Amino acid sequence: MLARTRPSLADLYADVAAGWQAGIERLGYPAAYGALFAAAPPGAPGRVLDLGTGSGAFAEAALRAAGRPAEHLALLDTSREMLVAAEARLAGRAPITLHHAPVGTDALPEAGFDTVLAAHVIEHLGDPAGALRWCRARLAPGGRLYLAVSRPHWCTALLRWKWGHRAYRPQAVLALLKGAGFADARHIAFPAGPPSRTSAGYVAVRG
Ligand SMILES: C[S@@+](CC[C@H](N)C(=O)[O-])C[C@H]1O[C@@H](n2cnc3c(N)ncnc32)[C@H](O)[C@@H]1O
């Protein structure tokens, strides 16, 4: 009998890429992302890096809320299918480069970005502290990191079974940000619906 191999994370995301945006819209995530950027201090984009971009919803919310235009948008994901979907969604908003690479790649310049975004991707990483130090090094001084991170909840426990997501309490995320050298780290709760129960937003500054 042939042993069944578990599909890779990239294969799992390839399978859902076409319907990802519709799925997160049904659950209210793009609206929650909009609320996070509206509640954060005004300013940001400039040169933007979106990690684990998926269909580009977090970057789209950041661009919509920004007090100044995006000069450049770098989209990074380990799923080619997600990168294609994000590029289609964000085309025309800024010059775009696609990076088919993991968080931690050495293909992106140090201090090259004013804004780094990461929604629901830190949870996939074995070394979140190292990933946040890498994010900090990608930011120019004064640049901002925005995160959305899953919180402990029975829904996120189910997600972990399929997707390998971890979940972090807000105090743990704030401690990770401080440990990675970020200043002014803030937790911004999502206002309503599933995102308010299963996830939370954060903003921090590279001092
Ligand atoms: C839960 S989805 C979130 C997508 C999007 N940010 C959103 O909020 O809708 C996680 C995304 O991260 C990508 N991903 C998973 N592990 C990654 C890694 N190590 N480096 C970069 N991207 C990764 C997946 O392919 C997927 O597109």
Side-chain angles (χ1 to χ4, degrees):
M1 200 167 82
L2 288 176
R4 286 181 59 157
T5 51
R6 198 174 160 78
S8 71
L9 193 61
D11 288 340
L12 285 173
Y13 277 114
D15 283 349
V16 298
W20 186 262
Q21 182 68 23
I24 63 172
E25 281 177 11
R26 267 197 305 278
L27 293 169
Y29 280 93
Y33 295 163
L36 163 61
F37 291 108
R47 296 159 299 165
V48 180
L49 169 62
D50 187 22
L51 305 171
T53 189
S55 53
F58 203 45
E60 184 174 44
L63 299 195
R64 196 172 282 147
R68 62 177 175 140
E71 288 164 33
H72 179 78
L73 194 48
L75 306 176
L76 178 142
D77 205 293
T78 43
S79 160
R80 281 189 197 284
E81 292 77 4
M82 286 295 201
L83 286 170
V84 168
E87 185 181 30
R89 168 161 297 283
L90 297 166
R93 313 283 180 94
I96 294 178
T97 53
L98 302 182
H99 301 271
H100 182 229
V103 174
T105 178
D106 55 14
L108 291 164
E110 294 226 343
F113 297 93
D114 304 296
T115 303
V116 173
L117 309 170
H120 301 118
V121 62
I122 297 295
E123 298 95 308
H124 280 306
L125 307 178
D127 178 13
L132 291 177
R133 285 194 300 276
W134 178 87
C135 289
R136 185 178 178 278
R138 308 275 89 62
L139 281 167
R144 283 199 210 148
L145 173 69
Y146 299 84
L147 300 175
V149 183
S150 302
R151 299 199 295 134
H153 185 270
W154 64 265
C155 288
T156 48
L158 289 179
L159 287 174
R160 180 165 193 173
W161 177 77
K162 178 167 182 192
W163 301 95
H165 268 62
R166 291 169 188 78
Y168 296 93
R169 294 183 195 289
Q171 287 312 323
V173 177
L174 293 173
L176 282 167
L177 287 166
K178 193 173 172 198
F182 283 95
D184 294 335
R186 298 188 199 179
H187 162 224
I188 299 177
F190 291 137
S196 68
R197 298 189 286 276
T198 62
S199 184
Y202 304 86
V203 59
V205 179
R206 176 181 174 157

